[in-house]
Amino acid sequence: MENWSLISLCVLLALTARWAVSLSSYSGAGKPPMFGDYEAQRHWQELTYNLPVQQWYFNTSDNNLLYWGLDYPPLTAYHSLLCAHVAQLINADWIALHTSRGYESITHKLYMRATVLVADILIYIPVVLLYCFCLSEGSAKKKVSTMLCILLYPGLILIDYGHFQHTYNCVSLGLALWGVLGLGQGWDLFGSFAFSLALNYKQMELYHALPFFCYLLGKCTKQGLTGKGLVHLMKIAVTVIGSFALCWLPFLSDSQQIFQVLRRLFPVDRGLFEDKVANTWCSLSVLIKIKNLVSPQSQLYLSFAATLLFLLPSCVKLFIDPTFRGFKLALVNCSLAFFLFSFQVHEKSILLPALPVCLLISELPFMTTWFLQVTTFSMLPLLLKDGLLLPYIVTSLVFLLICTSLLPVLEHASEDDMKLRSLFQRIRKSVPWLNTSLLAKSGFVLSVLSMAVLSFMSAALSPPAKLPDLFPVMVSLCSYVHFVGFLIYFNMTHLMESPSKKNQKKKN
């Protein structure tokens, strides 16, 4: 009974935080002619409600693709259509074809915020609760603490409820988490179905696709690909193909429809990166203007090769030894490799590595809390543009305070807690005086202080006239250095993980 009261209180706190942030401004408010990213979500409701499905992704007199053309998979479009039907019942002017462009009102803003909250309540929050109580380790109190920390992660709240661009991340991330929950419980078909829905909601879920594939293939291989394993693999394949066919059904009758949707989903002409994202290509561009030196096609090949290089070790390890913990680490490593090295990366894409890191918060509280704090900081330039300084400060401080007090973070900075004992034992042979716990804690404090100073400078100071992007670039570079360090750490943690007991028995 006491646990249920705690759970209810945690959910109430999470919902309150979300609604409080939603009362702030949003991207592009009152800024014609495009009216910002909030308008994109409203416009997609207008299109899907008023136009036949065959015109959703095509440029027509009623659908100007240059004005927030639909560029997400079919499941996002169906969600927009569902929201449009509800909007039509409340106020038809919100989605009237052509005349509703740039529509802004207090009532409509509340409605749009409410659609995110409902999606959160139906999809994301329930699966976080189930994951924490079914798959996370520790006492009931620790599971409640883990749940609260995940639900109060500032990055997702600020983007979905404040910035409102590429919103409903709670849907795609929630569906992916349902997939993780399914695999963790041994429900491979359900997990495959849920992740297929996530992929059909947002194509960025490709960041998580390889670990799902390698884990399931490795698991089937262990069962034997000439018997039980092959049957299981065929069931998974049928589930995935059937899920995709169901989502794409209205487009399957015409190959032109399929290719046009794919062109909208993967627009390679947009460039290597956008704005001041904390990845490799943007950071290198401070010294080397890659966009000017390398052709767009070569940029695509270069980013593909680099991404593949940095995600392969974790994927190979997962295929050979398909443990659930290894699966979660591979999700982190692959999504972070995509963020750092892939083509056409947005600042918000850091939410994709943040999700699996959240799943490790009870096992690796020190490093995961540090990582999640940096992810929110990395989006600071974007948040400042939308007037979200106060929500950024409050949510970041609350998250840090709760993690350090409930988990508690700073008490888990030892070699054992970070799962690096074997590595530091080797290092200590050469450097016997090394105090790893003190070094880690000092690094954490210095990191938090540097983020606080850069946040203050970005919000309060004006950059030199010759360097207008000075502070966004400093935030990007600082975050990038952190992310490279985290990529190394999480890869080492996965690659140094002992083989599963089943594999050890087979070897013996």
Side-chain angles (χ1 to χ4, degrees), residues 418-429:
M418 293 189 289
K419 312 299 181 187
L420 293 176
R421 172 172 280 278
S422 59
L423 173 66
F424 283 113
Q425 281 178 340
R426 297 170 195 164
I427 294 174
R428 198 169 285 108
K429 291 177 181 178

Side-chain angles (χ1 to χ4, degrees), residues 46-80:
E46 172 194 345
L47 292 179
T48 53
Y49 185 84
N50 291 288
L51 301 181
V53 65
Q54 290 77 17
Q55 293 183 27
W56 287 357
Y57 292 92
F58 278 88
N59 195 59
T60 66
S61 57
D62 291 326
N63 183 17
N64 180 6
L65 293 181
L66 295 179
Y67 185 81
W68 301 120
L70 189 59
D71 54 3
Y72 281 99
L75 208 54
T76 290
Y78 303 148
H79 184 201
S80 294

Side-chain angles (χ1 to χ4, degrees), residues 41-197:
Q41 302 295 332
R42 188 216 58 80
H43 183 59
W44 293 347
Q45 294 177 24
E46 172 194 345
L47 292 179
T48 53
Y49 185 84
N50 291 288
L51 301 181
V53 65
Q54 290 77 17
Q55 293 183 27
W56 287 357
Y57 292 92
F58 278 88
N59 195 59
T60 66
S61 57
D62 291 326
N63 183 17
N64 180 6
L65 293 181
L66 295 179
Y67 185 81
W68 301 120
L70 189 59
D71 54 3
Y72 281 99
L75 208 54
T76 290
Y78 303 148
H79 184 201
S80 294
L81 179 60
L82 177 62
C83 293
H85 277 285
V86 178
Q88 173 72 15
L89 296 175
I90 301 171
N91 187 341
D93 292 340
W94 292 351
I95 55 166
L97 189 63
H98 301 310
T99 59
S100 63
R101 279 196 179 187
Y103 190 99
E104 293 179 345
S105 71
I106 297 296
T107 311
H108 185 251
K109 178 184 174 182
L110 289 173
Y111 170 71
M112 293 292 280
R113 302 300 199 192
T115 60
V116 184
L117 191 63
V118 169
D120 227 344
I121 293 171
L122 293 178
I123 297 175
Y124 185 74
I125 293 177
V127 73
V128 170
L129 267 64
L130 285 172
Y131 173 85
C132 291
F133 282 90
C134 296
L135 295 176
S136 67
E137 301 172 351
S139 63
K141 184 180 177 181
K142 186 178 181 182
K143 290 179 178 181
V144 172
S145 300
T146 301
M147 179 193 74
L148 181 60
C149 292
I150 295 175
L151 290 179
L152 290 181
Y153 165 56
L156 181 59
I157 297 174
L158 290 167
I159 294 300
D160 265 15
Y161 291 88
H163 179 63
F164 218 85
Q165 180 188 16
H166 305 305
T167 196
Y168 305 108
N169 290 289
C170 57
V171 177
S172 58
L173 296 177
L175 290 170
L177 187 47
W178 278 107
V180 173
L181 179 70
L183 267 57
Q185 292 289 84
W187 309 331
D188 292 346
L189 298 185
F190 172 77
S192 302
F193 172 71
F195 184 68
S196 296
L197 294 183

Side-chain angles (χ1 to χ4, degrees), residues 148-432:
L148 181 60
C149 292
I150 295 175
L151 290 179
L152 290 181
Y153 165 56
L156 181 59
I157 297 174
L158 290 167
I159 294 300
D160 265 15
Y161 291 88
H163 179 63
F164 218 85
Q165 180 188 16
H166 305 305
T167 196
Y168 305 108
N169 290 289
C170 57
V171 177
S172 58
L173 296 177
L175 290 170
L177 187 47
W178 278 107
V180 173
L181 179 70
L183 267 57
Q185 292 289 84
W187 309 331
D188 292 346
L189 298 185
F190 172 77
S192 302
F193 172 71
F195 184 68
S196 296
L197 294 183
L199 269 173
N200 280 288
Y201 192 86
K202 286 195 175 182
Q203 63 269 37
M204 283 85 75
E205 278 300 325
L206 284 168
Y207 281 38
H208 297 143
L210 268 176
F212 272 87
F213 175 77
C214 293
Y215 177 76
L216 290 169
L217 183 61
K219 190 174 178 180
C220 292
T221 303
K222 295 295 180 187
Q223 294 174 353
L225 286 180
T226 55
K228 186 179 177 181
L230 180 61
V231 173
H232 192 54
L233 184 61
M234 294 301 293
K235 288 180 181 177
I236 292 170
V238 170
T239 301
V240 172
I241 294 169
S243 304
F244 270 78
L246 187 65
C247 292
W248 287 70
L249 193 60
F251 307 95
L252 295 179
S253 59
D254 186 357
S255 60
Q256 284 189 337
Q257 286 281 335
I258 297 172
F259 288 122
Q260 176 62 11
V261 175
L262 291 174
R263 277 192 291 268
R264 293 296 299 162
L265 299 188
F266 303 104
V268 294
D269 57 338
R270 286 187 181 177
L272 192 56
F273 59 87
E274 289 191 7
D275 295 327
K276 300 299 180 287
V277 59
N279 79 343
T280 300
W281 312 120
C282 182
S283 300
L284 279 177
S285 68
V286 175
L287 301 174
I288 306 169
K289 302 302 179 185
I290 300 174
K291 287 184 175 182
N292 298 333
L293 296 176
V294 183
S295 68
Q297 190 174 25
S298 297
Q299 292 172 26
L300 185 62
Y301 293 148
L302 179 64
S303 62
F304 174 78
T307 306
L308 188 63
L309 177 66
F310 282 93
L311 60 78
L312 267 181
S314 202
C315 286
V316 171
K317 165 76 173 177
L318 181 63
F319 172 72
I320 295 171
D321 186 27
T323 63
F324 184 64
R325 186 173 184 276
F327 169 59
K328 291 187 289 185
L329 287 166
L331 284 171
V332 176
N333 293 327
C334 289
S335 54
L336 195 49
F338 265 99
F339 177 80
L340 290 173
F341 300 103
S342 67
F343 192 85
Q344 239 311 289
V345 175
H346 297 261
E347 304 100 311
K348 288 79 61 179
S349 300
I350 195 60
L351 295 178
L352 291 153
L355 175 70
V357 170
C358 284
L359 305 185
L360 293 164
I361 202 165
S362 65
E363 302 169 48
L364 303 166
F366 178 74
M367 294 301 290
T368 53
T369 300
W370 191 354
F371 177 88
L372 294 172
Q373 203 70 23
V374 177
T375 62
T376 307
F377 167 74
S378 72
M379 296 184 284
L380 178 62
L382 186 69
L383 300 173
L384 289 177
K385 285 181 184 178
D386 298 328
L388 295 170
L389 176 62
L390 183 60
Y392 160 76
I393 294 172
V394 173
T395 54
S396 297
L397 287 177
V398 168
F399 177 75
L400 186 60
L401 178 65
I402 287 176
C403 288
T404 51
S405 58
L406 293 183
L407 291 178
V409 170
L410 293 176
E411 293 178 15
H412 291 84
S414 68
E415 298 168 6
D416 288 330
D417 290 321
M418 293 189 289
K419 312 299 181 187
L420 293 176
R421 172 172 280 278
S422 59
L423 173 66
F424 283 113
Q425 281 178 340
R426 297 170 195 164
I427 294 174
R428 198 169 285 108
K429 291 177 181 178
S430 303
V431 193

Side-chain angles (χ1 to χ4, degrees), residues 436-454:
T436 53
S437 180
L438 179 62
L439 184 65
K441 289 177 183 178
S442 301
F444 178 80
V445 172
L446 287 173
S447 171
V448 171
L449 286 175
S450 67
M451 289 188 284
V453 169
L454 281 174

